[in-house]
Amino acid sequence: MTLPTWAPTRRRLADTALAALAPVCACVLALGGLAVWTATGNAGTPARIAVADARLFLPSQGVPETAAFFRITNTGGARDRLLEVTSSDVSEGISLSSHRMTAGGAAYRQPVASLPLPAGGTLDMAPLGNDVTVPVTAGWEIGDLVPFTLHFEHSGRVEVMAVVVRPVSD
């Protein structure tokens, strides 16, 4: 008895193609998902946050608020965002802000919900850029250390001490 030889027919080829279609589609979807994940900055090492040059401007007499500045560096491979800043020395009212220029050359403060921190980048706060607006609630003097907690979207909380300095132009 001889066995019939296998011959490709339309039906056999269609069945083979359909059987291969499911794993190919799964691979394409996985690759597409990884590409989107990488493009949105979520791939690589997590954000690694370091805070330096923390300073709080000495409040001017009679002015209800002052500003704090931080140099925040992200040495990780993923982006992060500064969401909030708190302090045990200030009960409430601390806000993130950005300064904008008008057509006439005057600057004004605009509150912002968060400040972005790119992967491998630095957020360097300055008087004519981003800062933290702080209500004056204590009799701070030059050289005092004021505790702040910076709250990040992915990195959690980072505690830092800011030194009170005399305001100067940056």
Side-chain angles (χ1 to χ4, degrees), residues 98-110 128:
S98 181
H99 291 267
R100 302 284 183 239
M101 298 299 289
T102 65
Y108 67 94
R109 182 178 66 88
Q110 178 179 359
L128 293 179

Side-chain angles (χ1 to χ4, degrees), residues 4-29:
T5 57
W6 185 87
T9 64
R10 281 190 122 165
R11 175 76 180 164
R12 286 182 178 167
L13 290 174
D15 289 345
T16 303
L18 284 174
L21 186 60
V24 168
C25 286
C27 289
V28 168
L29 284 173

Side-chain angles (χ1 to χ4, degrees), residues 30-160:
L31 184 59
L34 288 172
V36 169
W37 185 54
T38 301
T40 58
N42 292 315
T45 59
R48 289 190 194 109
I49 304 298
V51 181
D53 298 330
R55 59 200 197 282
L56 175 70
F57 276 179
L58 180 68
S60 298
Q61 194 163 13
V63 176
E65 56 190 27
T66 188
F69 306 93
F70 306 93
R71 172 175 280 209
I72 306 168
T73 305
N74 179 0
T75 58
R79 63 179 169 72
D80 209 341
R81 286 187 313 145
L82 178 61
L83 301 175
E84 178 184 28
V85 177
T86 59
S87 173
S88 58
D89 281 9
V90 180
S91 60
E92 61 183 39
I94 297 177
S95 63
L96 300 173
S97 59
S98 181
H99 291 267
R100 302 284 183 239
M101 298 299 289
T102 65
Y108 67 94
R109 182 178 66 88
Q110 178 179 359
V112 295
S114 65
L115 295 172
L117 188 56
T122 299
L123 172 61
D124 197 5
M125 296 182 182
L128 293 179
N130 299 311
D131 68 16
V132 178
T133 302
V134 181
V136 177
T137 59
W140 295 309
E141 295 184 19
I142 292 181
D144 286 350
L145 294 176
V146 180
F148 285 95
T149 303
L150 284 65
H151 302 264
F152 293 91
E153 180 178 32
H154 301 293
S155 301
R157 299 169 13 152
V158 176
E159 296 188 10
V160 64

